[in-house]
Amino acid sequence: MAFSALTHLECSRTGERYDAEKVQGTSAAGAPLLARYDLERVRETVTREEIASRAPDLWRYHELLPVRAEENIVSLGEGMTPLLNLPNYAKQIGLSRLLMKDEGLVPTGTFKARGAAVGVSRASELGVRGVAMPTNGNAGAAWALYAARAGMASLIAMPVDAPAITRAECHAAGSELYLVDGLIGDAGKLIGAAVAERDGYQDVSTLKEPYRLEGKKTMGYEIVEQLGWRMPDVILYPTGGGVGIIGIYKALREMVELGWVTGPLPRLVAVQATGCAPIVEAFKNGARESEPFPDAKTVAFGITVPKALGDFLVLEGVYDTGGTAIAVTDEDLLAAQVELATAEGTFICPEGAACFVAAKQLREAGWLGEDDEVVVLNTGTGVKYPETVAVDVPTLAKDGRIPAR
């Protein structure tokens, strides 16, 4: 069959169809567009065994990705991150089966590389000359580097408080970079105005183009394949713009329709910080959309999104799977970052650490059972956030002596 089974794009609110062979933003309703595939044809022509024989990267699922021709793939080797067993921390919090999908090992050090790889590949294939986006840091770094790989220009705006390393990555990639005295929404307004004045540039803000989501959904495919083509009981995901949890939910539903998995979907848990928790507040109120969160601020900078364009899709996934939404404090997530490194030797990002706090609290509340198989997404490496861990160690004179213990 063809390299991709992509058929069309679909408005996530109205179901209206859009041409996938044209550069597209949001729908006429202002909603994200979702890529749709000929799943019947994939089911008839692709087997799980065949996929298992392919290269260990996210492109092993190429029929379910939007790039039409293999030669148009822009890749740095992304995908197939490990699914690690965490027995020590699991015991500490009262779980018997706790796994971590470690996205800190992909190129650029965060899961954002997945969306950048697929998004840049498809944009290049459709003739886009430059990509432009607001970012809290990591997404901009990933898109800037993949754009450089593709020979494309990139225009990035990020809050002045974004992690310094992400600024350096954009600069090193040759991106046109601007710092904004404000939040990601403020950066987004500047990007939107700039793209309107430039020929050949595409606004690739979160869910304002359809293909970043397709890269992110491969986390769902990988988790299921790595578990022997079965689904866990629960998946916890740090949620800002929500593309990761929306993508995993999309992947799970596609795999059910393909007949690759059976049974109930995992309960999806959207994890936020108390300093920016619009999804959690909406869930508490039984709402289908969120309200803008006032004075948003958290050390987990990647999830500082006061109002997500795809909030209704996040909430749909949570409600439809019997999941929940929970917010944790900065103090607790910073403590968990150190606890995980001490217990398991894994130095994770603060957003990932928030999910481990959530798992602990949900277990204490009885929402998680001791025997539930729980998968936590660590969305990046801790080394990209050196300022989150306070280091206070003694300095010895060169003729000094380390004390005996």
Side-chain angles (χ1 to χ4, degrees), residues 330-360:
D330 280 2
E331 181 182 17
D332 284 346
L333 69 86
L334 290 174
Q337 198 179 15
V338 174
E339 289 167 6
L340 258 292
T342 302
E344 301 286 1
T346 58
F347 185 28
I348 65 175
C349 67
E351 294 84 3
C355 289
F356 284 98
V357 178
K360 179 180 180 181

Side-chain angles (χ1 to χ4, degrees), residues 284-304:
K284 285 179 181 177
N285 295 325
R288 287 284 171 172
E289 295 185 26
S290 67
E291 296 296 327
F293 198 87
D295 303 319
K297 188 173 180 62
T298 168
V299 295
F301 209 75
I303 53 176
T304 312

Side-chain angles (χ1 to χ4, degrees), residues 86-96 98 336 338-340 342-344 360 363-364:
L86 301 178
N88 300 324
Y89 191 78
K91 186 176 181 179
Q92 288 180 25
I93 67 173
L95 291 172
S96 60
L98 178 63
V338 174
E339 289 167 6
L340 258 292
T342 302
E344 301 286 1
K360 179 180 180 181
R363 177 70 191 103
E364 290 171 348

